[in-house]
Amino acid sequence: MSNNNLADKVNDHGVLIVSKRDAIEFNYLLKIKGSDAIKYAVNSIKGNRFAYVSNLAKILQVDIPKDLSDPNEVIPIEQGLAMLRTVMRMRQPTPRK
């Protein structure tokens, strides 16, 4: 596959998506790290190279699960943090009177 053909497979974030698996893994990274982190990782790639999903995962220090099957089961980081804050508030002891 020539570079011209590969350039057609670059998504709006500047990431090369050549397979369904790439799309699933990219969506996983996007959901758990967010758009700003993806932008940072893409911009961290030196030279005139394509941004592969595996490169982004390394830069962002994310181990992508091998058994990723349904990306809809992954919640966005903001939602996860909000859930964690709620649980932490619930665990705080109530003041005694």
Side-chain angles (χ1 to χ4, degrees):
M1 192 175 284
S2 73
N3 277 353
N4 288 340
N5 291 344
L6 288 178
D8 294 340
K9 298 184 182 297
V10 173
N11 69 11
D12 293 340
H13 294 274
V15 180
L16 183 64
I17 306 294
V18 294
S19 68
K20 183 177 180 181
R21 178 70 186 181
D22 285 346
I24 290 170
E25 290 180 356
F26 174 78
N27 287 330
Y28 175 79
L29 285 175
L30 186 60
K31 282 187 175 185
I32 66 166
K33 287 295 190 173
S35 188
D36 288 342
I38 297 294
K39 184 177 180 179
Y40 163 80
V42 169
N43 290 333
S44 295
I45 296 174
K46 304 281 187 235
N48 189 18
R49 299 181 1 197
F50 287 108
Y52 288 89
V53 175
S54 59
N55 298 120
L56 301 184
K58 287 176 189 171
I59 292 167
L60 298 173
Q61 299 178 343
V62 173
D63 290 325
I64 298 175
K66 299 278 186 241
D67 61 348
L68 255 184
S69 55
D70 187 359
N72 295 323
E73 292 179 4
V74 177
I75 61 171
I77 190 167
E78 296 82 10
Q79 184 180 349
L81 289 172
M83 291 169 58
L84 182 60
R85 284 186 205 104
T86 300
V87 169
M88 295 303 290
R89 277 193 299 271
M90 291 170 46
R91 293 190 63 184
Q92 290 180 354
T94 54
R96 295 180 186 215
K97 293 183 178 183

